[in-house]
Amino acid sequence: MTDPEIEITADLVHDLLAEQHPDLAGLALREVAGGWANHMWRLGDELAVRMPRTDGAPGLQRTERRWLPVLAPRLPLPVPGPVRIGAPSARFPKPWTIMTWVPGEPLDHTSLSRGDHAADALAGFLTALHVAAPEDAPVSADRGDHPKNCSDGFDHFFHAVVPEDLADGVRAVWDDAVAAPEWAGPPLWVHGDLHPANVVVSDGTLSGVLDFGDMFAGDPAWDLAAAWVILPTGAAARFFDAYAQADEGTIRRARGLAALKGLVLMLIGRNGDRGLPGGKPTWGPAGRAALDRVLS
């Protein structure tokens, strides 16, 4: 974590803006709830200040600053884009970023009422994103592997939080993903962290995608898990029909990864219910819903 003696307050963010970007310091500053690696503040109506609060966050921001301007022009849903960089200083020792604001309400605080439209929107977004990545694209250190190489992590989350009535079904889905063939295509651009807190909703459908810090080149199944993690019950079939480029093995891997992500969301939600650091109470119901959809 960042230095516990450095509290990220509105006064601190305002002072840093005044020192480094004085033309923006007069805009209204409002704290945004949520966030994991970054503490976020809305700046005016169109910008956001992202202040890193974990040791890995500056690297995630650096990835976004490097690659989002390359990817964003071809993506059919709004995504944040870097506008300014904040330099490390005596007041705050890590670099920080000013990004564009993507309007909408995070899905972990609302729901999708237009499931077919959302399925088509997500399919269009991932079709545009999932193209061959260049040789210098980032490679993930903690995601992107075939499920067979993630079984220790799955077992940890499974034993920690799986509902008893779902245990056999979730285990069977995971075992099937482990047995699925590996991705045989070229490494594709992958968002890497699609879950309800990283997409926003307007008018009952998807209206934007956030937080590309974990993007990498690899197996698109890691994103296709969103068919169950993000979309409402019954929308996965329409999604895969619209996406139209996932073979059976990729879908099997994606379904298993959706089960893994559902368990992760449930554990983070439980930690939030218990008031533990990093816990998010809204993520627990989202994780349980994902498991129910995986098995439906």
Side-chain angles (χ1 to χ4, degrees):
M1 300 295 291
T2 51
D3 189 333
E5 296 184 0
I6 301 177
E7 184 181 2
I8 304 174
T9 65
D11 288 341
L12 172 63
V13 177
H14 180 269
D15 289 348
L16 292 174
L17 288 168
E19 292 169 5
Q20 300 189 32
H21 303 283
D23 58 315
L24 302 179
L27 297 175
L29 192 65
R30 291 158 284 172
E31 185 175 5
V32 178
W36 183 273
N38 299 287
H39 195 157
M40 190 159 67
W41 300 78
R42 190 167 181 182
L43 181 63
D45 292 330
E46 299 180 354
L47 300 174
V49 182
R50 301 182 76 195
M51 305 293 294
R53 59 182 174 193
T54 66
D55 291 337
L60 303 180
Q61 289 194 13
R62 188 163 53 249
T63 296
E64 291 186 308
R65 292 196 300 264
R66 167 67 179 89
W67 291 109
L68 274 174
V70 175
L71 297 175
R74 69 163 183 266
L75 299 178
L77 289 175
V79 300
V83 176
R84 306 277 184 92
I85 300 174
S89 66
R91 293 289 303 278
F92 191 76
K94 297 180 184 293
W96 44 280
T97 308
I98 300 173
M99 309 283 286
T100 54
W101 176 262
V102 179
E105 187 173 6
L107 180 55
D108 62 323
H109 287 85
T110 185
S111 61
L112 291 166
S113 58
R114 299 165 63 195
D116 286 351
H117 189 283
D120 292 343
L122 181 62
F125 177 84
L126 291 181
T127 298
L129 176 63
H130 290 169
V131 300
E135 291 186 1
D136 58 340
V139 177
S140 178
D142 62 352
R143 64 194 76 200
D145 272 347
H146 188 283
K148 67 185 179 183
N149 299 320
C150 304
S151 288
D152 288 346
F154 175 85
D155 288 342
H156 168 74
F157 292 108
F158 181 86
H159 292 302
V161 296
V162 70
E164 184 176 353
D165 60 321
L166 302 186
D168 290 346
V170 171
R171 173 63 69 178
V173 167
W174 180 255
D175 289 345
D176 183 63
V178 168
E182 296 193 19
W183 171 247
L188 304 184
W189 275 117
V190 177
H191 177 281
D193 198 24
L194 288 176
H195 60 74
N198 282 345
V199 297
V200 293
V201 175
S202 300
D203 298 324
T205 190
L206 292 179
S207 59
V209 179
L210 313 176
D211 199 350
F212 284 73
D214 288 306
M215 73 175 83
F216 64 89
D219 182 357
W222 282 79
D223 280 353
L224 300 178
W228 297 276
V229 175
I230 287 176
L231 296 177
T233 301
R238 183 182 180 106
F239 165 80
F240 282 110
D241 284 345
Y243 182 78
Q245 57 192 49
D247 60 24
E248 179 189 359
T250 300
I251 294 173
R252 290 165 61 194
R253 295 192 307 278
R255 190 168 174 233
L257 291 167
L260 171 60
K261 293 183 179 204
L263 294 171
V264 173
L265 290 170
M266 287 188 67
L267 183 56
I268 295 172
R270 188 180 72 180
N271 289 345
D273 293 338
R274 295 176 176 179
L276 298 176
K280 308 287 184 183
T282 59
W283 291 21
R288 171 63 197 240
L291 293 184
D292 289 336
R293 291 190 289 266
V294 162
L295 298 179
S296 66

